[in-house]
Structure formats: structure tokens, C-alpha cells
Amino acid sequence: MDSTRFDLQRYFATVWEAEVALYQGRGDEAWAINEAAWPLLRRSDLRRMQILRISAAFVRGKCAVAAARSGQREEMLGQAKKAHAMLMKERTTVSTALAALLSACITATSRQHDKLAEELGEAESLLTQLEMIPWAAAVQYRRAQLGAAEPVPPDWMRDQHIVNPQRLADFLMPGDWSRVS
């Protein structure tokens, strides 16, 4: 596919293909999908739209963190950190909130649990201010997950009748969230 044909429809098809793989717990596949499309996106005019740069960086970061769980940990965490830097470069409230969320995913997967509570608190605060409720609920779930043997889903997840809160949290906030021993 040449870069002139990587239009908005193909961008969203690629994003959702990667997102489906993430939801199904196939981090390596999500990364492969994102990695194959990344050069096409970089050459396309779509990068002129800030919201697409933010979305692309966040999805790329999530795919990298998810792939880090199954192998090439350091390389994939390095890719996730690059995506975090892309988000911070955008300097918007949304990109900053998503960067905070991604940072917590990276920290959890890096097993740097001493920093995790602070990062989760920052992410939850920013996401709540922006009324990004599903993501804020995922942060609340992750905080409960780290502190309890059986996390209780946040009110929003219960109110929305989320059948599998763990799956939603894994989709919105991939990474290694095993409890600190």
C-alpha cells in the first residue's frame, strides 16, 4: 500500500484491528499490526491532524506494552517510552492524560512498583478532569488490583454492566499488573 492511499479509513481499520488484538490479549499481534502500518502513517498526510497523532501514539504505546509481556521486554518498553514522548510533545490536556496513563502501564510492566501509586493517582486525576470515564475507571480497577486479592470493579464498570472488568482493564491499560509481593 503506498502512502498516498493510507487514508483515514485505512488508518481507523488498522487502529481497530490492533485494538481487537489487544482486547483479545494478543499483544504480539497488536504490535505487528501497528508496526506494519506505522511507516505508512508516518508518510501520510494524516499526521497533520493532531488528534490522529495523539491517537496513533497512544495505540502504539499500548501495543508495545502489551507485546512486552510476551517477549522482547526491553525493546518493547523502549518503543512504549518513545510513544510516551510523542504524546508529551503534543502538549494538550488529552495527550498529557494519555501519556500519564501510558506511563503507569510502562512502570507496572517495568516492575517499578515504588513509583506506581503516584503515577496511577496522576493519571486518574487527569482522566477524571477530562471526563474520560472508562479510562479513569480502568485506573481505579488497576489500583484495586494491586491492593487486593480480588479487586472490586469501580462503580462505573458496575453501572455499565461490564461483564469482564479485567478484560476491559487489560484493553485500556495493558501491561504486567501482577501484585507486588
Side-chain angles (χ1 to χ4, degrees):
M1 183 181 330
D2 73 62
S3 62
T4 60
R5 296 190 31 102
F6 194 74
D7 56 20
L8 193 57
Q9 291 78 9
R10 285 179 179 82
Y11 167 78
F12 282 119
T14 300
V15 165
W16 284 108
E17 189 177 354
E19 294 275 35
V20 166
L22 282 174
Y23 184 79
Q24 294 175 340
R26 297 178 285 124
D28 287 338
E29 184 179 333
W31 175 255
I33 293 163
N34 188 276
E35 183 69 355
W38 194 250
L40 301 172
L41 174 63
R42 290 181 57 92
R43 288 191 302 266
S44 78
D45 287 339
L46 296 177
R47 292 189 64 229
R48 292 181 183 199
M49 292 183 273
Q50 187 176 42
I51 192 63
L52 293 184
R53 289 194 308 270
I54 292 168
S55 168
F58 183 61
V59 171
R60 185 166 178 81
K62 287 194 330 176
C63 291
V65 170
R69 291 200 66 195
S70 58
Q72 302 177 17
R73 187 178 201 86
E74 294 307 314
E75 179 185 345
M76 289 296 96
L77 288 174
Q79 290 293 333
K81 289 174 185 174
K82 287 179 183 177
H84 176 269
M86 286 185 260
L87 288 167
M88 292 304 294
K89 184 178 174 183
E90 293 300 331
R91 299 178 190 262
T92 69
T93 55
V94 170
S95 65
T96 301
L98 292 175
L101 186 71
L102 183 58
S103 181
C105 296
I106 293 166
T107 298
T109 307
S110 300
R111 311 287 295 160
Q112 298 175 337
H113 294 286
D114 55 320
K115 299 177 6 178
L116 196 49
E118 182 180 332
E119 288 192 10
L120 287 169
E122 178 184 356
E124 183 179 356
S125 174
L126 292 169
L127 294 162
T128 301
Q129 289 172 29
L130 293 172
E131 298 182 10
M132 295 176 72
I133 304 307
W135 292 268
V139 173
Q140 293 165 3
Y141 184 84
R142 291 302 193 198
R143 291 173 96 172
Q145 185 177 23
L146 293 172
E150 189 64 36
V152 175
D155 290 341
W156 179 86
M157 287 185 178
R158 285 192 306 276
D159 293 346
Q160 298 301 314
H161 306 287
I162 303 297
V163 175
N164 189 339
Q166 178 71 46
R167 173 78 50 99
L168 181 62
D170 288 346
F171 167 66
L172 295 174
M173 292 184 72
D176 184 352
W177 293 93
S178 52
R179 287 182 26 182
V180 181
S181 42

